[in-house]
Each structure stands twice: as structure tokens, then as C-alpha cells.
Amino acid sequence: MIELERCQKQLDDFGLTTASQMLLNQLEKATQQDTTYLSFLTELLSGEEGTRRRRSEETRLKLSKLPNRKTLAEFDYSYQPSIDSRQIQELSTLAFVERKENVIFLGPPGVGKTHLSVGLAMEALRQGYVVYYTTLPNLILDLEKALSLDRLNKRWKIYLRPHVLIVDEVGYMQLNRAQAELFFRLISARYEVGSVIITSNKNFSDWGELMSDQVIATALLDRLLHHATVVNIRGSTYRLKDRLKAGLHAPPPPSYTSKAQEF
């Protein structure tokens, strides 16, 4: 027993706490099954490795700032027939991350763009990648604050370090030229260095107006689209699918009276 306690303490001292906790059970199992020394050691280290992997994933998940933990398995493709499930399955292999390519989800609000982005992020976290999520308004606010405090170079690391950077809600906020330049600098810095996932409710032809500068928009799209998969989603709002399945109808769109009818 003294020898066992000593061995457990040594494992704890080396930071192998799971192996320490497993040691007694694994010794009993090895005795009963007459396993080899190598098999015994392999099982002990596999248990430690599994625990560390789960802890690492949970830590990276917390640091990712994802808005939820929705997975690709939860996505209802039957409600969005415009999406090719085989294309999403190919993206889920994360080959695009290895190739440092981008993914852009286009479509009106509520069709599942964020869900698919988060689903890819969850798969990336599971496979050991670092992910970071932000919306475009929050990104610009953060970068402008860092710029005003002369900390922009330090803040860049938050957005350059991840293997996958998600920028959600591109299109809900029109940028001025200075803001567009900040966004362009970030996309340029990640070009062929790390993957970016973008969700937008705007067609690419509208990005000139969105960025308040056609030249910046063209240069930004050139870098984004050079190595990118574009998923164009057309369909009803995904958020209403459960409501519709329950037999409840979405409220009708508001009717507008023309100026000619007002008089």
C-alpha cells in the first residue's frame, strides 16, 4: 500500500492526476486479466489523455465566445432545401481550416447562417483548433477602443491567433471609411494565415455601400473570396420552423400605403 501511495503521489507531482486516480483500478484489472505491462501503461495514459483533451476543449470553448453550442447534427436541412447538406458535410471535415480558406454564409436574417457557423466552430473545437467568435459591430467597437488607447497592435492578437475567426452579422451596420479600413486590415492580416467564417445578409454587390468605399470593399472581397466556399441560403426564417411545425402561422408582413392612396 505504501508503494501504491508513493506511486500515486509521483503521478500527482507530475500533473498526471487522472492516471493517479485510475491507478488502483487499473492494477486490479491488469491482475485479473493478466495484461502486459505495455497494455497497462497504455490504458493509464489513455485515460489521462482523454481527460486533458476534454479539459482543453472546454477551455477553448469558453474562450471562443460562441453565442451557443449548437451542432451541425442539430441543423434541419429539410427546412432549408437550398442548402446542399453534402457541401456542409465536406466543410465539417475542416479541410478548409487546414488549407486556411474561408467560408461565407449569405442569406436573409434567420435562415441558419449563425447556426451553421457555430456548428463548424464546435467541430473545430472538438478537433483541437482554437476558435473565436464576434459580430461585426462588436469587432469594430473593440478595435476602435483599442486604437484610441494605443493598444491596437496588442489587440490584433485576439483576432489573429485563432485557427478560425467567425465574424457574424456583416451587413447590419454600415461602416464609415475608418471602420472599413480597420476591418480590411484584419482580413488582410488573416489572408492565407487563418480561416475566416463570415455571415452576411448582404449580397457582395452591396458591400461597397456597406463599407462606404467601393475600393476598400473590392480589395476586402478579393482577399476573402480568393480561397473561399460561399454558401448562399434562400428560404424562410429558420427561427420560425418550430412555430410553423406546431401549426402556427407567422404574422403577415405589414402592408404599406402608397403616397397616392394617402391623399
Side-chain angles (χ1 to χ4, degrees):
M1 185 61 69
I2 294 177
E3 189 176 7
L4 173 63
E5 291 175 354
R6 180 185 175 188
C7 187
Q8 288 175 321
K9 184 180 183 304
Q10 288 176 321
L11 289 170
D12 286 330
D13 290 343
F14 282 117
L16 303 174
T17 54
T18 298
S20 175
Q21 294 167 3
M22 292 175 56
L23 182 58
L24 179 58
N25 287 336
Q26 288 301 119
L27 284 170
E28 293 175 349
K29 181 179 176 182
T31 300
Q32 294 170 0
Q33 298 181 357
D34 193 25
T35 58
T36 64
Y37 296 125
L38 183 60
S39 296
F40 166 77
L41 185 58
T42 299
E43 288 216 25
L44 204 62
L45 294 178
S46 293
E48 181 69 39
E49 180 185 30
T51 297
R52 292 193 176 198
R53 188 185 302 113
R54 287 190 295 272
R55 288 174 181 167
S56 172
E57 182 177 341
E58 190 60 33
T59 299
R60 285 181 286 105
L61 178 57
K62 290 178 181 178
L63 294 175
S64 71
K65 305 297 183 182
L66 290 175
N68 55 64
R69 299 188 179 191
K70 292 182 179 179
T71 65
L72 294 176
E74 297 174 74
F75 192 83
D76 188 355
Y77 293 101
S78 66
Y79 191 74
Q80 294 296 10
S82 67
I83 299 177
D84 185 352
S85 61
R86 293 171 299 181
Q87 184 181 39
I88 304 302
Q89 288 170 3
E90 169 60 28
L91 290 173
S92 72
T93 66
L94 304 181
F96 77 94
V97 180
E98 284 295 312
R99 295 192 295 261
K100 300 176 177 56
E101 297 176 351
N102 305 320
V103 178
I104 304 174
F105 292 104
L106 297 180
V111 295
K113 303 185 299 295
T114 300
H115 185 153
L116 291 171
S117 299
V118 171
L120 288 174
M122 292 293 289
E123 184 62 27
L125 288 167
R126 191 184 69 81
Q127 295 195 28
Y129 293 105
V130 175
V131 174
Y132 192 79
Y133 169 95
T134 186
T135 63
L136 181 60
N138 287 342
L139 169 67
I140 296 301
L141 182 65
D142 186 42
L143 293 180
E144 285 184 320
K145 181 179 178 180
L147 181 62
S148 68
L149 297 173
D150 197 26
R151 297 177 180 173
L152 186 58
N153 288 336
K154 183 177 180 180
R155 196 61 185 166
W156 277 126
K157 297 177 183 178
I158 299 295
Y159 303 104
L160 297 181
R161 187 175 69 90
H163 299 99
V164 180
L165 173 67
I166 300 176
V167 183
D168 202 4
E169 300 181 3
V170 174
Y172 293 93
M173 169 188 179
Q174 183 171 8
L175 308 184
N176 59 39
R177 182 180 175 85
Q179 293 169 335
E181 287 177 352
L182 281 174
F183 189 38
F184 170 73
R185 285 178 60 186
L186 175 60
I187 296 302
S188 294
R190 288 192 62 89
Y191 176 62
E192 295 185 334
V193 173
S195 296
V196 180
I197 299 178
I198 297 275
T199 76
S200 178
N201 65 332
K202 298 290 187 182
N203 292 322
F204 295 135
S205 58
D206 298 324
W207 281 41
E209 180 181 357
L210 177 65
M211 301 293 162
S212 298
D213 190 297
Q214 188 62 51
V215 174
I216 292 178
T218 300
L220 188 149
L221 286 171
D222 180 63
R223 286 157 179 76
L224 271 179
L225 298 176
H226 184 206
H227 308 293
T229 298
V230 179
V231 181
N232 204 328
I233 307 174
R234 302 173 301 279
S236 303
T237 170
Y238 188 80
R239 297 188 186 99
L240 292 177
K241 76 180 182 67
D242 292 331
R243 178 185 176 93
L244 296 174
K245 284 182 178 180
L248 300 174
H249 297 288
S255 58
Y256 298 92
T257 304
S258 68
K259 291 185 178 297
Q261 291 175 316
E262 291 177 355
F263 298 98

